[in-house]
Amino acid sequence: MNVRLASREGLLTGFINLCCILLGLTGLAGTMVGGWFHLSSRQPGAWLLLLGIAVWGGVRAVRRVPDPSRNKTLIAGLVAGVMHGLTLAVSLWLISTLLDAGAEVRKWLVQLTPEAIRLLTFGLSPVAAAALMFVVMTTAGLVGALWVRASERYPWQRTLSKGPTTVRTRFLALPAVQNFMQRKHSQQILWGGGLLILLFFPFVLGQYWNYTLGTVGIYVILGLGLNIVVGFAGLLDLGYVAFFAIGAYIVAILTAPAPHGIMMNFWLVVPIGIVLAALAGVLLGIPVLRMRGDYLAIVTLGFGEIIRILSKSDALTDFTGGPRGIRSVGGPGLFGFDVSSEFYFMYIIILGIVLAAYVTLHLQQSRVGRAWMAMREDEDVAQAVGIYTLQYKLLAFATGAALAGFSGVIFASRNKFTGPEDFTLLVSINVLCLVIIGGMGSIPGVVAGALVLKGLPEILRQLADYRMLAFGALLILMMIVRPEGLWPSTRRQMELHERAEQSGEPDAGSSPETGP
Amino acid sequence: MAMLEVENIHSYYGNIHALKGISLTVEEGEIVTLIGGNGAGKTTTLRSITGILKPRQGHVRLEGEELAPYKPHQIVYKGVAMVPEGRRIFARLSVSENLDMGAYSRNSKSEIKADLERVFELFPRLKERRNQVGGTLSGGEQQMLATGRALMAHPRLLLMDEPSMGLAPVLVESIFEKITEINKEGTTILLVEQNALMALSIANRGYVLQTGEIILHDTAEALRTNEVVRKAYLGIT
């Protein structure tokens, strides 16, 4: 029975490996590793990836063995290795034979260059290469099995998943930190210090990083807003981009020379954008907030699309610039100086984040925050303890929309342009993702989430075509390893841990979602 | 004047005529029970009183004042609290936070504190577990918490929807003892129950509900010996 499971794992990982070869990921790994270590050959990197996956197959196979004795472990690893090796050896033989026969494989598989195949065959004949592949992969499966035995002595996985939390608690328990925290103005000093460092940042960063981190910052403000709606009040809003768009279009219409030529001062437009976006939030909120859960998500999704489609509709072309958008959006000036470069915008964004975080924090800790919390947990009961849910929902929607409007104003003014394609559904999804990845309901989590979601793609640029693939894989990995988010609020952390401790016991009566 | 006066209410779910002219009164200091089978309209009656469902016809009066113009949350401020069916505690909040939420409608910190003491006195178990997350409590403890949460609103009228649901007989007994205790301290109670025997043993009066209509109304004593009730709801022939 275990043999079957083990061979299945071997086949599965073998198939994954095959996909890597066919998609050219092995070649990419070769280039990258070669680049890091200044190697002339791409072979080490390519084989590192192949072997890594094969070893992983061995590990997975051993995990399937219920009570692993030493022999069983080795057998499982061997079986997985053999199956893995067979898969790859046969495929390799097939591919190289086909290539030798002059088949036009590249028509379908662009990455399958003769050079890529040579990385794997070392220029041997198809049969010899296949045999070599088989032997190596079988060994790798065995290594995987041995790895499991070794790693049982040191539970590194648990350390990895608990690591960040442990580091934080340990740090907070240090005597020096404790002493500092007990001082009178420790909080203020900490915030002030952090702010000073932040203010210093734009000087150090070049134009490129000021722009990139500025985008991250805009997403932080967006995230803080959506965090109020989704994280605090528990309303799933998939059309959040609409308010972002409203902010952007307001600044564009009011400051650009065309199509209206109003050309107002940027600083006057900021409050107008915020207020109008909040108003839009209320106007949308009144009809839709009677819906719950999935229905609300769908309706807001529709609203987001309506705003985007309206902005590029023919009927409104004179007003919004239509599909071409609005150019030469005005930037901020200060006492006659133009301060609209990336560098100055960084300060405006930092200021915006600080303000948004301050507002969010205050709301969270107030009576309003408590009402949101009750609503998120159980709307009916919230009503039954005296909370006027409609009012608090509107407030959450309006606050979230105001922050989105604000970031929209900054966004359009910084880009000096706004157009319908800046406000696709993807923006809403991105913001929602960053809130979830950071940790729902957590303010520092939003910052962490934005850095990962908007910053990571920049860092992954050297992966070229595979950037988004790696990004997606990383996101999945992150949610598996830390489902509570990167920097969760203490509450959510508590929930997940409590749940883990009482796993197995069905928690009766704790399903508030199943309303009448 | 009656604490609660329900007069000929008709409530609907869409086109379904759920309550067909219910009338009942609850005098101050009483425990009144509303018994009946599944789908009789017991919960619907409570929902109509708390304003979550607005009756299309008829009146609900609290100490003579018409409740129709008020929204559900405003009715809480009038002094009506509810222990919902299936407990519905805030599963992810701690016991203290749950109780704290119950006092949302109130402002005086000292009064809230006094009521918290009262709840902890009534349910010492909650005090022991005050930092525990609600969802991890046992069924009986969750019922205590739901009751405590409603008491934190300092209601004059407490509506309880099937407090015995899903609890072991021993726990049911202890919960009903607590209900009597709460009543003795001056809270009027309207108790909806399927467990008719238990409900009638602590109530002053009872109403029997069937498919949206009240078919019987008497003192609890009389209902316990009533032939129809015994057959239909007490399982005694």
Side-chain angles (χ1 to χ4, degrees):
Chain A
M1 208 32 52
N2 292 329
V3 172
R4 217 185 73 198
L5 288 174
S7 55
R8 203 162 73 190
E9 294 299 338
L11 275 177
L12 177 75
T13 46
F15 184 69
I16 293 176
N17 232 342
L18 182 62
C19 289
C20 287
I21 296 172
L22 296 182
L23 293 174
L25 288 183
T26 28
L28 177 78
T31 318
M32 284 180 63
V33 172
W36 291 336
F37 297 103
H38 306 289
L39 304 175
S40 54
S41 159
R42 303 205 311 174
Q43 238 140 13
W47 279 90
L48 207 63
L49 179 70
L50 288 179
L51 287 173
I53 293 175
V55 170
W56 178 51
V59 170
R60 286 186 57 112
V62 176
R63 291 269 152 77
R64 293 287 191 160
V65 183
D67 54 320
S69 68
R70 196 174 140 198
N71 283 340
K72 276 188 183 168
T73 314
L74 291 183
I75 291 172
L78 189 69
V79 170
V82 167
M83 294 315 286
H84 194 119
L86 271 179
T87 316
L88 284 191
V90 169
S91 324
L92 189 63
W93 175 78
L94 205 69
I95 293 167
S96 36
T97 316
L98 278 174
L99 278 178
D100 283 353
E104 301 242 350
V105 189
R106 287 198 67 192
K107 237 189 232 166
W108 304 288
L109 295 159
V110 214
Q111 299 291 344
L112 223 54
T113 54
E115 197 264 331
I117 294 303
R118 216 169 303 124
L119 282 179
L120 308 174
T121 59
F122 295 93
L124 295 169
S125 74
V127 178
L132 178 71
M133 181 62 94
F134 177 72
V135 172
V136 172
M137 289 299 143
T138 309
T139 321
L142 268 176
V143 169
L146 291 171
W147 164 272
V148 174
R149 286 192 72 79
S151 72
E152 265 159 14
R153 308 225 170 106
Y154 179 66
W156 58 276
Q157 265 178 324
R158 207 176 309 154
T159 321
L160 191 72
S161 67
K162 280 202 175 161
T165 323
T166 325
V167 168
R168 210 168 87 214
T169 36
R170 288 240 179 101
F171 175 75
L172 288 175
L174 285 177
V177 177
Q178 286 279 316
N179 268 341
F180 175 75
M181 292 304 257
Q182 270 151 23
R183 278 177 56 183
K184 217 174 168 190
H185 295 293
S186 60
Q187 287 281 322
Q188 283 88 330
I189 293 174
L190 223 56
W191 281 104
L195 200 62
L196 271 181
I197 294 173
L198 268 182
L199 290 180
F200 187 63
F201 252 124
F203 282 102
V204 194
L205 304 167
Q207 196 197 0
Y208 170 72
W209 280 108
N210 266 331
Y211 182 79
T212 308
L213 285 180
T215 311
V216 172
I218 287 173
Y219 271 82
V220 170
I221 303 176
L222 276 170
L224 285 171
L226 191 67
N227 185 44
I228 292 177
V229 182
V230 181
F232 292 172
L235 306 165
L236 186 51
D237 179 358
L238 292 182
Y240 190 61
V241 69
F243 308 118
F244 185 52
I246 288 171
Y249 269 98
I250 284 167
V251 72
I253 288 167
L254 292 182
T255 63
H260 301 286
I262 299 171
M263 302 191 74
M264 272 172 76
N265 184 308
F266 172 82
W267 299 109
L268 278 177
V269 176
V270 172
I272 296 177
I274 292 174
V275 169
L276 286 184
L279 203 67
V282 173
L283 284 182
L284 168 70
I286 290 170
V288 309
L289 284 181
R290 291 174 196 281
M291 322 216 168
R292 294 189 185 186
D294 316 352
Y295 304 102
L296 179 68
I298 306 257
V299 173
T300 49
L301 183 91
F303 177 71
E305 283 298 283
I306 287 174
I307 293 290
R308 185 178 67 86
I309 292 165
L310 271 184
S311 71
K312 67 175 188 184
S313 76
D314 289 338
L316 290 176
T317 300
D318 292 339
F319 190 66
T320 63
R324 295 218 322 276
I326 299 176
R327 277 161 219 288
S328 313
V329 176
L334 210 57
F335 308 115
F337 293 103
D338 177 38
V339 290
S340 59
S341 69
E342 274 85 26
F343 174 75
Y344 291 109
F345 259 111
M346 199 63 194
Y347 284 105
I348 297 176
I349 290 166
I350 291 174
L351 190 73
I353 293 174
V354 172
L355 276 176
Y358 180 80
V359 169
T360 311
L361 201 67
H362 260 253
L363 282 172
Q364 187 185 16
Q365 290 167 349
S366 71
R367 205 173 143 76
V368 178
R370 274 201 327 161
W372 281 337
M373 192 154 73
M375 247 167 54
R376 187 191 61 199
E377 296 294 316
D378 190 325
E379 211 182 310
D380 293 323
V381 180
Q383 253 182 355
V385 298
I387 294 165
Y388 189 20
T389 48
L390 195 66
Q391 177 190 328
Y392 283 111
K393 278 182 179 181
L394 282 180
L395 187 63
F397 239 59
T399 322
L403 288 179
F406 179 40
S407 43
V409 170
I410 298 175
F411 181 74
S413 171
R414 193 181 66 143
N415 288 352
K416 300 184 172 57
F417 169 77
T418 190
E421 296 320 313
D422 287 342
F423 309 107
T424 56
L425 175 63
L426 196 65
V427 178
S428 294
I429 292 174
N430 262 330
V431 179
L432 186 64
C433 279
L434 78 85
V435 171
I436 292 170
I437 283 170
M440 272 228 257
S442 154
I443 296 169
V446 168
V447 179
L451 276 173
V452 167
L453 212 74
K454 283 281 133 187
L456 207 56
E458 294 302 321
I459 296 167
L460 292 177
R461 240 172 225 290
Q462 58 167 318
L463 293 180
D465 292 346
Y466 299 96
R467 184 159 70 116
M468 284 337 239
L469 187 72
F471 180 55
L474 269 174
L475 289 190
I476 293 172
L477 195 74
M478 231 176 311
M479 285 332 279
I480 292 173
V481 177
R482 275 181 82 78
E484 72 267 46
L486 293 173
W487 193 325
S489 61
T490 40
R491 167 169 317 284
R492 259 190 82 70
Q493 213 173 345
M494 189 163 71
E495 282 159 28
L496 279 161
H497 284 233
E498 295 264 1
R499 200 140 302 170
E501 274 156 29
Q502 58 149 16
S503 63
E505 181 193 325
D507 42 356
S510 68
S511 47
E513 279 82 12
T514 51
Chain B
M1 195 181 295
M3 170 68 84
L4 176 76
E5 195 183 348
V6 175
E7 192 189 320
N8 193 30
I9 54 168
H10 291 259
S11 293
Y12 293 78
Y13 290 111
N15 284 326
I16 300 162
H17 197 170
L19 298 184
K20 302 161 186 161
I22 300 277
S23 297
L24 59 87
T25 51
V26 182
E27 298 292 336
E28 183 160 7
E30 269 191 316
I31 299 183
V32 172
T33 183
L34 203 57
I35 55 180
N38 275 333
K42 305 186 299 288
T43 302
T44 311
T45 308
L46 291 191
R47 288 167 67 94
S48 304
I49 295 168
T50 54
I52 291 173
L53 194 68
K54 289 285 175 201
R56 283 198 203 160
Q57 241 185 72
H59 303 277
V60 179
R61 296 192 195 94
L62 188 73
E63 295 189 308
E65 188 185 8
E66 181 68 51
L67 288 184
Y70 296 110
K71 295 202 157 62
H73 73 278
Q74 291 169 318
I75 290 173
V76 179
Y77 283 78
K78 297 266 164 207
V80 180
M82 164 127 117
V83 183
E85 183 178 9
R87 306 183 264 280
R88 305 274 289 264
I89 55 157
F90 297 116
R92 301 196 293 181
L93 307 193
S94 74
V95 168
S96 314
E97 285 170 321
N98 264 281
L99 294 173
D100 207 31
M101 285 295 181
Y104 193 86
S105 55
R106 305 170 62 200
N107 290 315
S108 158
K109 284 225 168 96
S110 59
E111 280 176 37
I112 293 175
K113 208 168 162 240
D115 273 343
L116 188 65
E117 288 306 315
R118 185 174 148 227
V119 169
F120 280 156
E121 218 170 277
L122 199 60
F123 303 112
R125 214 32 190 284
L126 294 183
K127 192 171 187 175
E128 284 167 34
R129 316 220 146 185
R130 74 194 129 179
N131 293 324
Q132 199 171 320
V133 175
T136 63
L137 297 178
S138 75
E141 289 163 346
Q142 291 193 5
Q143 187 60 54
M144 293 178 200
L145 182 54
T147 312
R149 184 180 61 193
L151 287 178
M152 289 303 290
H154 204 88
R156 287 178 296 159
L157 174 65
L158 181 65
L159 309 176
M160 301 191 79
D161 198 349
E162 300 222 19
S164 75
M165 191 192 208
L167 294 186
V170 192
L171 286 174
V172 175
E173 221 156 284
S174 96
I175 284 284
F176 274 72
E177 265 168 41
K178 297 295 180 188
I179 297 174
T180 324
E181 216 174 312
I182 294 164
N183 176 249
K184 286 215 174 94
E185 282 172 26
T187 312
T188 310
I189 293 173
L190 177 58
L191 173 67
V192 158
E193 259 301 337
Q194 284 212 26
N195 189 339
L197 191 62
M198 279 307 286
L200 289 173
S201 72
I202 64 162
N204 303 97
R205 292 184 299 116
Y207 291 83
V208 180
L209 209 56
Q210 201 171 57
T211 54
E213 281 169 299
I214 287 177
I215 55 163
L216 267 176
H217 162 222
D218 214 329
T219 62
E221 200 74 28
L223 285 177
R224 256 181 301 174
T225 52
N226 183 295
E227 209 45 46
V228 180
V229 177
R230 287 174 73 88
K231 259 195 189 148
Y233 303 107
L234 301 182
I236 306 162
T237 44

